[in-house]
Amino acid sequence: QVQLVESGGGSVQAGGSLRLSCAASGSTYSRSLVGWFRQAPGKEREGVAVIYISGGSTDYADSVKGRFTISQNNAKNTVYLQMNSLKPEDTAMYYCAAESPLRVGYPPLQREAYFGYWGQGTQVTVSS
């Protein structure tokens, strides 16, 4: 079991930055795969970035490579998503999700249906 709580969303102008946090608790967190997903109005939810808690490997959607960075602080059981050079098209509800890597499979960004634990989401709005 893993519990997730996101924070850090808000409104920012294009070109600005935000850092999202995903605070996790639960006995299996240290063996989890944690991902950030987003859903804009009228669009399907899409994978943004993932990190393997054990090992630290990461992967990013092409649309955010070079602008977003996913990282972890294991002492705080928290995963971060640093978002720089934000664009209006980054506007969405951002969700943190976690699951066993074996259950998700590969590539994780395209397998959101296999993530069993989700946070409540945090809104990011980027104005032009």
Side-chain angles (χ1 to χ4, degrees):
Q1 293 284 342
V2 178
Q3 294 79 42
L4 305 169
V5 178
E6 303 101 329
S7 61
S11 297
V12 65
Q13 289 192 327
S17 299
L18 284 173
R19 188 178 78 159
L20 306 183
S21 299
C22 174
S25 60
S27 60
T28 59
Y29 171 75
S30 64
R31 302 187 296 276
S32 294
L33 168 66
V34 177
W36 285 98
F37 296 82
R38 66 185 182 186
Q39 187 167 22
K43 294 187 177 181
E44 294 187 352
R45 192 156 54 185
E46 62 174 348
V48 175
V50 294
I51 186 166
Y52 292 81
I53 299 303
S54 177
S57 297
T58 61
D59 195 15
Y60 297 90
D62 288 342
S63 59
V64 305
K65 280 181 180 177
R67 300 189 298 124
F68 290 11
T69 302
I70 190 170
S71 63
Q72 60 180 329
N73 183 327
N74 289 341
K76 296 183 177 181
N77 279 8
T78 300
V79 170
Y80 303 99
L81 184 68
Q82 178 66 44
M83 306 185 295
N84 298 328
S85 302
L86 282 162
K87 305 175 180 180
E89 51 263 44
D90 294 318
T91 295
M93 183 71 78
Y94 283 71
Y95 298 90
C96 176
E99 188 51 83
S100 160
L102 292 178
R103 185 162 295 181
V104 173
Y106 192 84
L109 286 176
Q110 282 77 52
R111 297 173 69 82
E112 65 159 284
Y114 294 87
F115 282 80
Y117 304 100
W118 291 83
Q120 80 287 354
T122 185
Q123 178 68 37
V124 171
T125 302
V126 184
S127 58
S128 58

